[in-house]
Amino acid sequence: MNKETFIAELSRKAEITQEQSTAVNEVLENNMIIGKKSREKITLEIAQTLSVDTDRANEIYRTARDIIGTALKDKLKHPFGEQK
């Protein structure tokens, strides 16, 4: 999954604009996504960047994490793309 696809999917699933998705992507790129302290820091940065409450920022973070996790799992299952 490339950056543009991730941003578009995040925008669709989290119900935010492309610009907001781009901002969330920048926050994720600037932080390590794994770990409890990282999650808290990323959630606070998303809340500040998008001017939303922490609950909404946490929802956006979980959506982004799920998209990334699914993409990684798919890549591990099919390292060379679809085999037909």
Side-chain angles (χ1 to χ4, degrees), residues 58-69:
N58 199 23
E59 289 175 26
I60 294 168
Y61 168 79
R62 283 195 310 262
T63 302
R65 183 197 62 204
D66 292 345
I67 292 168
I68 292 168

Side-chain angles (χ1 to χ4, degrees), residues 3 6-7 10 18-32 42 45-46 49:
K3 187 186 289 191
F6 172 75
I7 290 171
L10 179 60
Q18 290 284 118
E19 293 79 20
Q20 290 173 322
S21 293
T22 302
V24 170
N25 183 59
E26 289 177 14
V27 170
L28 293 173
E29 286 180 344
N30 293 332
N31 293 286
M32 181 161 221
I42 291 169
E45 282 189 42
I46 290 172
T49 302

Side-chain angles (χ1 to χ4, degrees), residues 4-79:
E4 292 81 22
T5 306
F6 172 75
I7 290 171
E9 191 163 342
L10 179 60
S11 178
R12 184 177 59 78
K13 287 187 175 183
E15 299 175 351
I16 56 178
T17 66
Q18 290 284 118
E19 293 79 20
Q20 290 173 322
S21 293
T22 302
V24 170
N25 183 59
E26 289 177 14
V27 170
L28 293 173
E29 286 180 344
N30 293 332
N31 293 286
M32 181 161 221
I33 196 164
I34 300 171
K36 184 176 180 175
K37 288 185 180 183
S38 295
R39 184 192 73 206
E40 293 169 358
K41 181 180 177 197
I42 291 169
T43 302
L44 288 174
E45 282 189 42
I46 290 172
Q48 291 173 349
T49 302
L50 301 183
S51 300
V52 296
D53 63 1
T54 53
D55 290 335
R56 178 67 176 134
N58 199 23
E59 289 175 26
I60 294 168
Y61 168 79
R62 283 195 310 262
T63 302
R65 183 197 62 204
D66 292 345
I67 292 168
I68 292 168
T70 301
L72 287 172
K73 185 170 49 171
D74 289 345
K75 188 66 173 176
L76 288 172
K77 285 183 177 180
H78 308 287

